[in-house]
Amino acid sequence: QVQLVESGGGLVQPGGSLRLSCAASGIIASIYAMGWFRQAPGKQRELVASITNGGRTNYADSVKGRFTISGDNAKKLVYLQMNNLNPGDTAVYYCNARTSSSYGSKDYWGQGTQVTVSS
């Protein structure tokens, strides 16, 4: 079965840091991008950061300069280093893997990991 396992979430004070990790397994098709999304209560899920096979990265404006995405799509690993966290970052964070095949692209999702920023 396809699995995306996330870890690293937790409770931190404003200004603190967390490092999220995601390991994908069971995906046969080629992964051309991996990333992180988040969803806060009452809000829509939004893209936080992504990275392609070529190493190109993309960040939401709200996290630029604070978050860094890294990893290896060939190894199906992705990380998100989150620094200078603020209460607005509180959300469930989901790992995403996007694949490509003869039938088109497909997205796989992790179960999510809770990040809470509070004093």
Side-chain angles (χ1 to χ4, degrees):
Q1 293 183 335
V2 174
Q3 286 189 313
L4 275 70
V5 181
E6 301 133 325
S7 63
L11 173 65
V12 297
Q13 295 183 346
S17 298
L18 285 173
R19 182 177 174 85
L20 304 183
S21 301
C22 176
S25 63
I27 301 176
I28 299 175
S30 176
I31 298 175
Y32 67 83
M34 295 186 72
W36 292 92
F37 291 71
R38 68 185 182 187
Q39 186 168 24
K43 296 184 178 180
Q44 295 183 344
R45 185 175 299 187
E46 64 175 354
L47 172 68
V48 178
S50 64
I51 184 168
T52 69
N53 283 333
R56 299 189 305 276
T57 59
N58 180 254
Y59 297 92
D61 288 341
S62 61
V63 307
K64 287 181 179 178
R66 300 189 297 121
F67 292 9
T68 302
I69 189 169
S70 63
D72 188 336
N73 284 327
K75 296 181 178 180
K76 302 173 184 177
L77 298 171
V78 66
Y79 307 95
L80 185 67
Q81 179 66 46
M82 305 185 293
N83 298 326
N84 300 315
L85 288 161
N86 61 64
D89 297 316
T90 296
V92 177
Y93 284 70
Y94 297 91
C95 180
N96 166 262
R98 176 163 287 183
T99 65
S100 179
S101 70
S102 299
Y103 302 99
S105 63
K106 185 175 181 179
D107 286 308
Y108 296 91
W109 298 91
Q111 291 182 301
T113 184
Q114 178 70 47
V115 172
T116 302
V117 185
S118 177
S119 59

